[in-house]
Amino acid sequence: MSNETNESSNVSLVQKIIIGLGGIIAPIFVLYTITKSPDAPKSAAEAPVERVEVLENIKPLAVVELATDSGPKVEKSGEEIVNQACAACHASGMMESPKLGDAGAWSARIAQGYETLTKHAIEGIRMMPARGGNPDLTDNEIAKAVAYMANGAGADFTAPEAVETEATEAESETETAE
């Protein structure tokens, strides 16, 4: 009985080598056949039309263009600033910010005074970033936005007047000289 079992499970060294080589050569042959098939992808030089299509499909959805300083900065109104920068948090009360028009939430802040509120808006306070997250806003624009929001909640702050920039003042002097 034991002879029959040994004979059926005996694999010679030559057979093991053939099986090993077959396990290596067969996948290489399959891969070679796939890459040389007519449907296989071609190199970029051989398929310029396909490359153009791919580039068209992966092109960016938007292009960032840096603006140049084309003249004097026109100061925005408090309402414009609030709608563009402040409303992102203050419209919904995100990050514990007082909601626009909520007199109860604004009353303690209004009691601190206009200057303090403006300073906090410029420098940032608690979770609020400096300048509402927009570093391009001037101190005067921030002050206008603070007055607009606080007045909407019951304050009686006077928003500052627009400040002329140096370029605007230079233009005024040129017009006066002529």
Side-chain angles (χ1 to χ4, degrees):
M1 275 202 220
S2 62
N3 275 344
E4 289 178 24
T5 319
N6 287 341
E7 288 178 20
S8 63
S9 65
N10 264 348
V11 178
S12 70
L13 179 62
V14 174
Q15 289 174 328
K16 287 181 183 178
I17 292 173
I18 292 172
I19 292 170
L21 288 175
I24 294 172
I25 293 173
I28 292 173
F29 177 74
V30 169
L31 289 174
Y32 176 79
T33 305
I34 290 172
T35 58
K36 292 301 178 182
S37 72
D39 296 334
K42 298 177 178 90
S43 69
E46 294 172 353
V49 174
E50 290 175 9
R51 184 168 190 261
V52 169
E53 289 174 358
V54 169
L55 291 175
E56 183 68 25
N57 287 338
I58 64 171
K59 74 178 183 180
L61 296 176
V63 177
V64 176
E65 294 180 7
L66 300 176
T68 59
D69 189 18
S70 60
K73 178 177 168 129
V74 177
E75 222 174 63
K76 297 175 184 161
S77 70
E79 183 178 9
E80 288 175 309
I81 300 298
V82 169
N83 290 336
Q84 291 174 358
C86 309
C89 295
H90 286 282
S92 64
M94 187 184 334
M95 297 189 298
E96 300 174 14
S97 62
K99 288 185 180 181
L100 296 171
D102 185 352
W106 280 93
S107 62
R109 290 166 175 86
I110 292 170
Q112 294 175 1
Y114 180 61
E115 290 76 23
T116 302
L117 281 176
T118 302
K119 180 180 181 229
H120 289 166
I122 291 170
E123 297 173 359
I125 186 170
R126 292 184 276 292
M127 289 186 270
M128 183 176 127
R131 300 181 184 281
N134 185 348
D136 294 333
L137 296 175
T138 65
D139 290 355
N140 205 46
E141 287 174 321
I142 296 290
K144 287 179 182 181
V146 168
Y148 178 81
M149 285 193 292
N151 289 346
D156 190 23
F157 297 146
T158 304
E161 295 297 320
V163 175
E164 287 188 24
T165 60
E166 291 178 13
T168 307
E169 290 173 0
E171 288 173 4
S172 299
E173 290 172 9
T174 306
E175 290 173 4
T176 309
E178 292 175 357

